[in-house]
Amino acid sequence: MNGPEKQAQRKEGSYLIFAEAEQSSSPFLPSSATAMASASSAASLRLLRRPIGLAPLRPARRLLCVASPTAALATDGDSSPASSASMAQPAVVDVNPPRGTRDFPPEEMRLRSWLFDNFREVSRSMAFEEVDFPVLESEALFIRKAGEEITQQLYNFEDKGGRRVVLRPEITPSLARLVIKQGKSVSLPLKWFTIGQCWRYERMTRGRRREHYQWNMDIFGMPKVRAEAELIQAIVLLFERLGITSSDVGIRLSSRKVLQAVLDMYSVPQHLFTQVCVIVDKLGKLSREEIEKELISTGLSSEAVQGIIEVLSLKSLSKLEEVLGSGVEAVADLKKLFSLAEQYGYADWICFDASVVRGLAYYTGIVFEAFDREGELRAICGGGRYDRLLSTFGTEDVPACGFGFGDAVIVELLKEKGLLPDLPRQIDDIVFPLDEELEGPASSVASSLRKKGRSVDLVEDKRLKWVFKHAERINASRLILVGKSEWERGMVRVKILSTREEFEVKAGELQ
Amino acid sequence: MNGPEKQAQRKEGSYLIFAEAEQSSSPFLPSSATAMASASSAASLRLLRRPIGLAPLRPARRLLCVASPTAALATDGDSSPASSASMAQPAVVDVNPPRGTRDFPPEEMRLRSWLFDNFREVSRSMAFEEVDFPVLESEALFIRKAGEEITQQLYNFEDKGGRRVVLRPEITPSLARLVIKQGKSVSLPLKWFTIGQCWRYERMTRGRRREHYQWNMDIFGMPKVRAEAELIQAIVLLFERLGITSSDVGIRLSSRKVLQAVLDMYSVPQHLFTQVCVIVDKLGKLSREEIEKELISTGLSSEAVQGIIEVLSLKSLSKLEEVLGSGVEAVADLKKLFSLAEQYGYADWICFDASVVRGLAYYTGIVFEAFDREGELRAICGGGRYDRLLSTFGTEDVPACGFGFGDAVIVELLKEKGLLPDLPRQIDDIVFPLDEELEGPASSVASSLRKKGRSVDLVEDKRLKWVFKHAERINASRLILVGKSEWERGMVRVKILSTREEFEVKAGELQ
């Protein structure tokens, strides 16, 4: 350990240990003796100080933060660096993942897999192909100047080679990058989906995480609103699979061409378009006055600002047509989309709402977002057309549109609606030797069942009572007991756990 | 743009553009006109300089690096920071993912999914539960002092809050962290698996990547070699599923208790154990002389060093027993494991090899690795027992053992053995309206088939000839043509592509 580090340790003499509250006999309790014995390695672990009594984002079960007798209860500003352990004290590592991130223990992993399987199943039914990208990307892909929240919260850093890299905040730029890279080897239209983790760095507020998983579906090379219509069907199919109805959730949609038309009416220069969109998207978060002020500061006339605000309040397509005239693209696109929606059979899910603009700089046409009709949650998913993204990467544009669908809000909604599935652990067989000397035969029984495709939990060194409880807990179908007298006759005892039926089978004939 | 950045741009006036070699008419070709039009946004993208003519790790298809007329062909040392584009020139983003990382276009994603499905299927048959962790972890979890390669190549950095974080190099410490966190809420033994991306940062050499995916299976709370026997069965089941036999691959195994016994014979102090293991693991990479020198420098006597080297060359268990005596744990463990292997039926896959030590500091007992018998590749997977990891985290130890199985070497092996599966794209139906005005009916036909669970590619604005070619390319089962005269009778035309059978069906009765 070098000088400054050692010094830092002395200075930061306080630390917290994490222990299980009800667990004085637990194998997991910090033990001074053990920790001392391994002091040399333990001391090399830095400890993170944690606020006491402040609920973690995802509270660890029955976990208690215990301060060491000498610990000063410093509150942990998000910007305080990690402190180090002093060599003399038992060092206990922080059992929580980095702030704002999640572990997935088995039951939460089952829920995630179930959700992702649904994403995949819908994508498959829409004939989309799965792709993936590194979670680490060049910062250059995400640097845009429109003042988006997403680019202000980049989880970026410099790698050891001096390159600016970023834990990606979204996946669309990577998709676009790969489309360019694949070039002529693919035929358009491309229909790709991906499920990946996205990151942001912001000061933590309660309930906001620094990572989430996002399902993305994107179509490249389809200029017509057919692409949007397909993407919206995918979203609706997903909701339907999860048991969500159109009275739970709606999809608001509009087009950025609406704003474009208004800007054209007031002769606002083209280069202000993106910036205006990003500002206007904050309606609802900021007050109307603040939005107006921001718009004025871009150089818009107050007439233009009023025109924008008025149009954004429109909730009917016919009213929009009245204001903009029927000749504008925005109106034609939206009308076509609504007419397709009738044919797909999801018209009751969608509604026009001119206030939908979405916060990403690169959208150019139709934009949409799904929302819970009770209005309790943030947008469930959002997307739109981005026909001019590729030219910002220096290549010729390809018409494109897509959406991102996070794993957080949908789970909240399912919870609220009582639609979270029951996903217990499930095992086919438990194999249990009744005697230690039968561990060999038990191995061969378990092995052959596994080769036949069954999931087999081989249990040893437990009481039979424990095994029965365990069987219940993991929803085992059968219990296979390997006993001495049976084995001598080449038999094992099988118990069907649902019916309590019990019988002997030749070990070799076990299916 | 601030001062220094602007300056950097002037200094780094050269850049490279990436273009498709054979693609002068491609929609992806950089177009000066387009790029100029979007100069304001394009200019905000930084460009990465790339070496010219140096093959990328995973070469982009038909991709050519073209220097701008004024570009100096600087070779890109790994440590050169990204340079910026000048406003006046068409800026083309680097289409490659960050160095040493991979994109997964559809065909590579299908291969990855196939492999991961096999990992999952084997884990399920072994009754393991899936878990997951953030790819970003606290650096503290991975700081160990034994001089391991893995901790010398940490992809670490400081986050904006001043915390030392790391893109995890391995998953075991996260597993251990979660075991501690779950505490009493879980009953032992725990059998967990995970598939996740791991990272390292090192200067790039050809063919070495900075990330790979790793399948981990771990058992906590099982002190006997039964745990190792189970893990090795999992590995063998995986190989068998992939078509690999015991004449292609073997699993070498030994125990760190062998080294422990030798160190005890020479009264080497206990605290040197880990360090000795990490040094000895480099046998094969470093010369015998270098290894001896490193061992001596830890303070070992030359007799002890000779004793270690001699024991490590043993390839038979009976010889080992001769040297160490039958009373030592190492011998008893290994004998038990070989006897269990007979019962499981995988004895022909495994062999004793005292030189197997593995490079991770925390192993304490049995260690093993799978290798191709032709000796061409690095280890395919590796693992072992780590009974004392938890105490380095400050809690009481729980016996544990596990393995990591990467996604790289196994794919090389499958390629070599001709065992890579053919994984074409596969779609149930293509729906194609023969007329633009039939886009509505086509929507409703596609929609209803998708609701029935079929995967449906809705194709428009193409010639029928293209559609047939497309059907072949994506292995569609049926082509459903929506034509005017049929639709007026409520019918669609169905073509079964394998048999070329063709018939009409009522649209509502299409299954």
Side-chain angles (χ1 to χ4, degrees):
Chain A
M1 195 172 292
N2 57 22
E5 203 176 348
K6 184 101 187 186
Q7 216 165 27
Q9 280 188 10
R10 282 206 200 98
K11 212 176 70 194
E12 305 271 8
S14 69
Y15 64 95
L16 304 176
I17 52 174
F18 290 76
E20 297 281 329
E22 309 141 56
Q23 250 189 36
S24 47
S25 66
S26 152
F28 302 106
L29 240 199
S31 136
S32 301
T34 323
M36 291 296 280
S38 64
S40 67
S41 40
S44 69
L45 290 165
R46 288 152 172 254
L47 300 185
L48 297 181
R49 284 182 303 152
R50 278 275 174 178
I52 287 187
L54 198 143
L57 286 176
R58 180 173 289 260
R61 278 195 202 87
R62 291 184 274 165
L63 199 72
L64 177 74
C65 306
V66 180
S68 79
T70 59
L73 304 188
T75 52
D76 182 16
D78 190 44
S79 57
S80 74
S83 61
S84 302
S86 124
M87 299 270 305
Q89 306 217 24
V92 181
V93 81
D94 187 351
V95 296
N96 295 299
R99 288 203 133 196
T101 70
R102 291 168 291 174
D103 289 322
F104 291 87
E107 58 285 5
E108 269 145 70
M109 192 64 197
R110 283 197 292 273
L111 178 62
R112 183 179 116 183
S113 300
W114 168 82
L115 182 64
F116 288 10
D117 285 349
N118 277 292
F119 290 158
R120 288 205 170 86
E121 204 37 51
V122 168
S123 305
R124 193 197 59 81
S125 78
M126 302 295 299
F128 278 56
E129 297 184 273
E130 191 167 2
V131 293
D132 198 21
F133 312 93
V135 68
L136 191 78
E137 280 278 11
S138 295
E139 192 185 66
L141 271 188
F142 302 92
I143 289 190
R144 300 185 292 255
K145 285 183 168 171
E148 299 156 281
E149 189 182 74
I150 204 167
T151 61
Q152 287 165 349
Q153 298 179 344
L154 285 183
Y155 207 126
N156 52 3
F157 59 96
E158 198 167 276
D159 76 11
K160 291 175 181 174
R163 286 201 168 70
R164 296 297 307 172
V165 286
V166 61
L167 290 172
R168 63 172 173 211
E170 54 151 344
I171 307 183
T172 307
S174 303
L175 279 160
R177 182 176 62 61
L178 185 56
V179 169
I180 300 171
K181 180 172 151 196
Q182 295 283 90
K184 222 184 181 178
S185 73
V186 294
S187 86
L188 296 178
L190 268 185
K191 302 176 185 182
W192 281 354
F193 81 97
T194 187
I195 303 170
Q197 201 169 18
C198 298
W199 295 76
R200 65 171 163 200
Y201 196 96
E202 53 162 353
R203 296 186 79 78
M204 296 295 302
T205 51
R206 222 181 165 111
R208 296 275 274 175
R209 284 201 308 258
R210 285 190 176 148
E211 53 79 19
H212 75 297
Y213 281 88
Q214 205 177 80
W215 170 41
N216 275 243
M217 290 182 82
D218 292 81
I219 302 178
F220 287 83
M222 215 188 261
K224 296 187 181 173
V225 292
R226 164 67 77 191
E228 287 89 331
E230 289 274 288
L231 294 174
I232 294 171
Q233 179 176 30
I235 294 167
V236 170
L237 284 177
L238 190 272
F239 285 139
E240 287 174 344
R241 286 182 71 94
L242 305 187
I244 290 167
T245 68
S246 60
S247 48
D248 301 321
V249 160
I251 299 170
R252 277 191 275 258
L253 53 87
S254 181
S255 171
R256 286 213 174 163
K257 290 178 187 165
V258 171
L259 265 176
Q260 184 63 67
V262 179
L263 296 189
D264 290 348
M265 280 166 64
Y266 294 95
S267 307
V268 175
Q270 181 58 31
H271 73 268
L272 290 180
F273 174 68
T274 303
Q275 212 178 335
V276 168
C277 289
V278 171
I279 294 170
V280 154
D281 178 62
K282 296 178 200 158
L283 258 172
K285 286 188 201 170
L286 301 183
S287 71
R288 190 174 149 160
E289 289 69 39
E290 285 168 300
I291 299 291
E292 290 181 4
K293 218 173 112 188
E294 280 198 41
L295 287 174
I296 293 281
S297 77
T298 66
L300 262 61
S301 67
S302 59
E303 291 73 35
V305 171
Q306 289 320 309
I308 289 169
I309 302 278
E310 261 164 49
V311 166
L312 289 181
S313 68
L314 298 178
K315 305 277 180 207
S316 106
L317 209 45
S318 54
K319 259 274 173 318
L320 182 74
E321 197 169 349
E322 256 174 51
V323 175
L324 299 184
S326 61
V328 301
E329 267 184 64
V331 174
D333 283 0
L334 287 163
K335 277 174 135 176
K336 170 51 81 61
L337 187 50
F338 277 92
S339 119
L340 284 173
E342 291 283 350
Q343 303 284 344
Y344 276 94
Y346 60 70
D348 48 338
W349 289 81
I350 64 172
C351 56
F352 169 71
D353 181 340
S355 74
V356 175
V357 180
R358 302 296 302 161
L360 291 168
Y362 47 68
Y363 289 133
T364 53
I366 299 281
V367 277
F368 53 87
E369 61 190 24
F371 64 100
D372 70 305
R373 295 202 190 263
E374 288 180 13
E376 306 275 311
L377 308 171
R378 280 165 294 139
I380 303 165
C381 68
R385 178 166 289 277
Y386 50 97
D387 283 350
R388 295 194 293 270
L389 180 60
L390 265 63
S391 63
T392 70
F393 291 166
T395 60
E396 209 158 290
D397 279 320
V398 172
C401 99
F403 68 80
F405 192 119
D407 70 338
V409 184
I410 185 67
V411 169
E412 282 177 66
L413 180 70
L414 291 169
K415 212 171 281 175
E416 243 173 45
K417 301 282 174 196
L419 292 169
L420 275 185
D422 186 29
L423 300 165
R425 196 174 168 195
Q426 214 135 18
I427 293 295
D428 294 330
D429 300 320
I430 293 177
V431 172
F432 181 64
L434 289 164
D435 215 304
E436 194 173 345
E437 69 196 56
L438 292 165
E439 59 181 11
S443 309
S444 89
V445 168
S447 174
S448 83
L449 285 169
R450 286 164 177 163
K451 283 183 186 171
K452 286 171 184 147
R454 297 190 61 90
S455 61
V456 180
D457 192 14
L458 175 50
V459 175
E460 271 181 354
D461 302 324
K462 298 282 185 184
R463 288 171 195 277
L464 194 55
K465 202 178 147 192
W466 186 95
V467 178
F468 274 101
K469 267 198 187 160
H470 179 62
E472 222 171 88
R473 204 167 44 223
I474 67 174
N475 288 293
S477 305
R478 302 188 304 184
L479 179 58
I480 293 155
L481 299 170
V482 184
K484 199 172 174 191
S485 62
E486 290 93 343
W487 189 253
E488 280 166 359
R489 288 178 285 114
M491 310 291 277
V492 292
R493 178 154 286 277
V494 176
K495 181 158 184 148
I496 310 293
L497 287 154
S498 57
T499 61
R500 294 168 177 275
E501 206 185 336
E502 211 179 313
F503 49 87
E504 281 188 8
V505 183
K506 265 196 181 159
E509 288 169 11
L510 205 54
Q511 287 297 323
Chain B
M1 197 171 291
N2 57 22
E5 203 174 347
K6 184 99 188 189
Q7 216 165 28
Q9 279 189 12
R10 283 208 198 96
K11 212 177 71 195
E12 305 271 11
S14 69
Y15 63 94
L16 303 176
I17 52 174
F18 290 76
E20 296 282 330
E22 308 141 57
Q23 252 189 31
S24 47
S25 66
S26 151
F28 301 107
L29 244 199
S31 136
S32 302
T34 324
M36 291 296 278
S38 65
S40 67
S41 40
S44 69
L45 291 167
R46 286 150 172 257
L47 300 186
L48 296 180
R49 283 182 306 150
R50 281 275 174 178
I52 287 186
L54 198 143
L57 287 177
R58 180 173 288 262
R61 279 194 200 86
R62 289 184 276 166
L63 199 73
L64 178 74
C65 304
V66 181
S68 79
T70 58
L73 303 189
T75 51
D76 182 18
D78 189 44
S79 57
S80 75
S83 60
S84 301
S86 122
M87 298 270 305
Q89 307 218 21
V92 181
V93 81
D94 187 351
V95 296
N96 294 299
R99 289 203 133 196
T101 69
R102 291 169 291 174
D103 289 323
F104 291 87
E107 59 283 6
E108 269 145 70
M109 192 65 197
R110 283 196 292 273
L111 178 63
R112 182 179 119 183
S113 300
W114 168 82
L115 182 64
F116 288 10
D117 285 349
N118 277 292
F119 290 158
R120 288 206 170 86
E121 203 38 51
V122 167
S123 306
R124 192 197 60 82
S125 79
M126 301 295 298
F128 279 57
E129 296 183 274
E130 190 166 3
V131 293
D132 197 22
F133 311 94
V135 68
L136 190 78
E137 279 278 11
S138 295
E139 191 184 66
L141 271 188
F142 302 93
I143 289 190
R144 301 185 291 254
K145 287 182 167 173
E148 300 154 280
E149 188 182 74
I150 203 167
T151 62
Q152 288 165 350
Q153 297 179 345
L154 285 183
Y155 207 126
N156 52 3
F157 59 96
E158 199 167 276
D159 76 11
K160 291 176 181 172
R163 285 200 168 70
R164 296 297 307 171
V165 287
V166 60
L167 290 172
R168 63 172 174 212
E170 53 152 346
I171 307 183
T172 308
S174 303
L175 278 160
R177 183 176 61 62
L178 185 57
V179 169
I180 301 170
K181 181 172 149 196
Q182 295 284 87
K184 223 184 180 177
S185 73
V186 294
S187 86
L188 296 177
L190 266 185
K191 302 176 183 181
W192 282 352
F193 82 97
T194 187
I195 303 170
Q197 201 169 19
C198 297
W199 295 75
R200 64 170 164 203
Y201 196 97
E202 53 162 353
R203 294 185 79 80
M204 296 295 302
T205 51
R206 220 181 165 112
R208 295 276 274 176
R209 282 202 307 259
R210 287 191 175 147
E211 53 80 18
H212 75 297
Y213 282 87
Q214 205 178 79
W215 170 42
N216 276 243
M217 289 182 83
D218 291 82
I219 302 179
F220 287 84
M222 215 188 259
K224 296 187 182 173
V225 292
R226 164 67 77 193
E228 287 88 331
E230 289 273 289
L231 293 174
I232 293 170
Q233 179 175 30
I235 293 167
V236 170
L237 284 176
L238 190 272
F239 286 138
E240 287 175 344
R241 286 182 71 93
L242 304 187
I244 291 167
T245 69
S246 61
S247 48
D248 302 320
V249 161
I251 299 170
R252 276 191 275 260
L253 53 87
S254 181
S255 171
R256 286 213 174 164
K257 290 178 186 165
V258 170
L259 265 176
Q260 184 64 67
V262 180
L263 296 188
D264 290 349
M265 280 166 63
Y266 294 95
S267 306
V268 175
Q270 181 59 33
H271 73 266
L272 290 178
F273 175 68
T274 303
Q275 212 180 334
V276 168
C277 289
V278 170
I279 294 170
V280 154
D281 177 62
K282 296 179 200 156
L283 258 171
K285 286 188 202 171
L286 302 183
S287 71
R288 189 173 150 161
E289 291 67 39
E290 286 168 299
I291 299 291
E292 289 181 3
K293 218 173 111 188
E294 280 199 40
L295 287 174
I296 294 282
S297 77
T298 65
L300 262 58
S301 67
S302 58
E303 291 73 38
V305 170
Q306 289 319 309
I308 289 169
I309 302 279
E310 263 164 46
V311 166
L312 288 181
S313 68
L314 298 178
K315 307 275 180 209
S316 106
L317 209 44
S318 54
K319 259 275 174 316
L320 182 74
E321 196 169 351
E322 256 174 52
V323 176
L324 299 183
S326 61
V328 301
E329 266 183 66
V331 175
D333 283 359
L334 287 162
K335 278 173 132 177
K336 170 52 82 58
L337 186 50
F338 277 92
S339 118
L340 283 174
E342 291 285 349
Q343 303 284 344
Y344 277 94
Y346 59 70
D348 47 337
W349 288 80
I350 65 172
C351 57
F352 169 72
D353 181 339
S355 74
V356 175
V357 180
R358 302 296 301 161
L360 292 168
Y362 47 67
Y363 289 132
T364 53
I366 299 281
V367 278
F368 53 87
E369 61 191 25
F371 64 100
D372 71 304
R373 294 200 190 265
E374 288 179 11
E376 305 275 311
L377 308 171
R378 281 164 293 140
I380 304 165
C381 68
R385 178 166 289 278
Y386 51 97
D387 283 350
R388 294 194 294 269
L389 179 59
L390 265 62
S391 63
T392 69
F393 292 166
T395 61
E396 210 158 289
D397 278 321
V398 172
C401 97
F403 67 80
F405 193 120
D407 69 338
V409 184
I410 185 67
V411 169
E412 282 178 65
L413 180 69
L414 291 169
K415 212 172 283 176
E416 242 173 45
K417 301 283 172 194
L419 291 170
L420 275 187
D422 185 30
L423 299 166
R425 194 172 170 198
Q426 213 135 18
I427 293 295
D428 294 328
D429 300 320
I430 292 177
V431 172
F432 181 63
L434 290 164
D435 215 303
E436 195 171 348
E437 69 196 55
L438 292 164
E439 60 181 10
S443 309
S444 91
V445 168
S447 174
S448 83
L449 285 169
R450 287 165 177 162
K451 284 185 187 173
K452 286 170 185 149
R454 296 188 65 88
S455 61
V456 180
D457 192 12
L458 176 49
V459 175
E460 272 180 355
D461 301 324
K462 298 280 183 185
R463 288 171 194 275
L464 194 55
K465 201 176 149 192
W466 186 95
V467 178
F468 274 102
K469 267 197 185 161
H470 179 62
E472 221 171 90
R473 204 167 43 223
I474 67 174
N475 287 294
S477 305
R478 301 189 304 186
L479 178 58
I480 293 156
L481 299 170
V482 184
K484 198 171 175 191
S485 63
E486 289 93 344
W487 188 254
E488 279 166 359
R489 287 178 284 114
M491 311 290 278
V492 292
R493 178 154 286 278
V494 175
K495 180 158 184 148
I496 309 293
L497 288 154
S498 58
T499 60
R500 293 168 180 272
E501 205 185 337
E502 211 178 314
F503 49 87
E504 280 189 8
V505 184
K506 266 198 179 155
E509 287 169 10
L510 206 54
Q511 286 297 323

